[in-house]
Amino acid sequence: MRALFLLPLVVLLGCDAAATGSTLADCATDIGTDAHSFLQTYFLCVDASASGDGDALSSDGLPPHESPYWGEGHAMYVAFDDRGGTHFQNPNTIGTQNIAFTIPSDPTPQAGLTITDALVDTTMQTSDFEYRGGPVGLALNGVAMFAAMAAPGDDIYDEAFTFDLYEGHPAGEQYHYHWHSQGPLEVLEEKGLTASVTPGEGDVEVYGMMCDGTVVLGCTELDGAAPDTSDFDAQNGHLHDLDDGTTLHFVDRYHTHVCADLGLFELFPEIAYYEPTGC
Ligand SMILES: [Zn+2]
Ligand SMILES: [Zn+2]
């Protein structure tokens, strides 16, 4: 009797311990009506609510899409595509994360900061202005965003050879993106905001939000217009109002444009324009 009782319990615990994952259509989203309009409009698969002078934003970091990094046997596992032999899978698999930021509503620019090519060197620990390693932002689908940096001696562009078809990969169990991905664009499609999820072809392209309050867009502004690149800094960043035609979400807000087609910088930002108090 005892063995019969224990067996289902062990099976149940085994299931609980594994990263389960879900799709964009059935992931858990809990965004309060008190949360910032930008979070309410553009995000799925995250928790968000007003908190003090900002918003608490959190996620389990599990990608709501297929990946070879789920591991064989997982419902959303697909074989790694080596793209003709140029790409290879890293040995890590996706695990549940506990990502939580408090994003300030009215962030303060970092004093004395000018974002130049010398500062944006895609290498960690070369300035006091850069983001830390690990998750420093959340994509629209709850996946972690990592800054545009590799460890000293490594090249961030070498990392790209282990990206899956969603341009993501895990560090340890932390699945994340560094640049353009169709994952966040699928949220915009789900919400009826774009017909294409191919980066560079979206009607509107939004990737996510960094923990300091920096917004990350793609090849368009929030209203779908082409960005004016004339005042871009070294990481494709500039300041202006972010209005999607329905809602003025941000006034004079720093944001970057991740867009290979612009031929400039194509990664998420390396430098935190605002004081990273909630990171
Ligand atoms: Zn990485
Ligand atoms: Zn812009």
Side-chain angles (χ1 to χ4, degrees):
M1 282 302 286
R2 187 182 172 90
L4 284 174
F5 174 72
L6 281 176
L7 185 61
L9 186 65
V10 169
V11 170
L12 190 66
L13 289 171
C15 284
D16 259 8
T20 50
S22 50
T23 66
L24 212 49
D26 65 8
C27 66
T29 302
D30 186 4
I31 301 177
T33 53
D34 60 347
H36 193 284
S37 61
F38 181 74
L39 302 177
Q40 292 192 47
T41 305
Y42 292 103
F43 281 72
L44 288 174
C45 317
V46 300
D47 290 359
S49 60
S51 174
D53 295 329
D55 287 278
L57 177 63
S58 61
S59 169
D60 62 15
L62 298 175
H65 58 64
E66 294 178 332
S67 172
Y69 290 111
W70 283 110
E72 282 186 55
H74 192 280
M76 286 193 287
Y77 168 82
V78 290
F80 191 82
D81 183 338
D82 71 3
R83 282 147 277 187
T86 56
H87 288 60
F88 58 95
Q89 188 168 357
N90 82 25
N92 303 321
T93 53
I94 295 166
T96 301
Q97 303 182 56
N98 184 11
I99 307 166
F101 306 122
T102 304
I103 298 176
S105 301
D106 189 15
T108 305
Q110 296 210 72
L113 171 62
T114 304
I115 300 176
T116 60
D117 286 338
L119 215 49
V120 182
D121 61 4
T122 65
T123 303
M124 278 182 200
Q125 297 161 7
T126 49
S127 93
D128 294 335
F129 295 114
E130 67 191 26
Y131 292 103
R132 61 176 170 77
V136 287
L138 276 181
L140 303 188
N141 58 1
V143 169
M145 297 166 76
F146 277 26
M149 297 182 291
D154 291 343
D155 185 336
I156 187 74
Y157 292 100
D158 285 345
E159 279 201 29
F161 293 114
T162 67
F163 291 171
D164 61 20
L165 293 181
Y166 276 82
E167 304 292 328
H169 69 169
E173 294 191 331
Q174 295 181 318
Y175 185 84
H176 59 277
Y177 308 132
H178 290 273
W179 62 9
H180 60 84
S181 164
Q182 77 176 61
L185 302 185
E186 286 176 352
V187 176
L188 301 175
E189 180 188 46
E190 180 84 7
K191 289 170 172 281
L193 300 171
T194 186
S196 174
V197 296
T198 302
E201 296 176 11
D203 299 297
V204 60
E205 297 188 357
V206 186
Y207 286 113
M209 188 139 194
M210 306 302 281
C211 51
D212 66 319
T214 294
V215 174
V216 180
L217 302 180
C219 296
T220 74
E221 294 295 355
L222 211 49
D223 63 0
D228 174 1
T229 63
S230 64
D231 62 349
F232 273 7
D233 64 19
Q235 55 184 8
N236 287 13
H238 60 180
L239 286 98
H240 56 74
D241 292 355
L242 295 177
D243 189 327
D244 59 18
T246 303
T247 304
L248 172 59
H249 294 283
F250 300 103
V251 174
D252 205 27
R253 177 59 62 108
Y254 183 77
H255 59 281
T256 66
H257 289 275
V258 174
C259 183
D261 294 347
L262 292 177
L264 300 167
F265 191 70
E266 54 182 311
L267 294 153
F268 296 153
E270 171 178 358
I271 305 299
Y273 181 84
Y274 298 111
E275 288 179 3
T277 52
C279 297

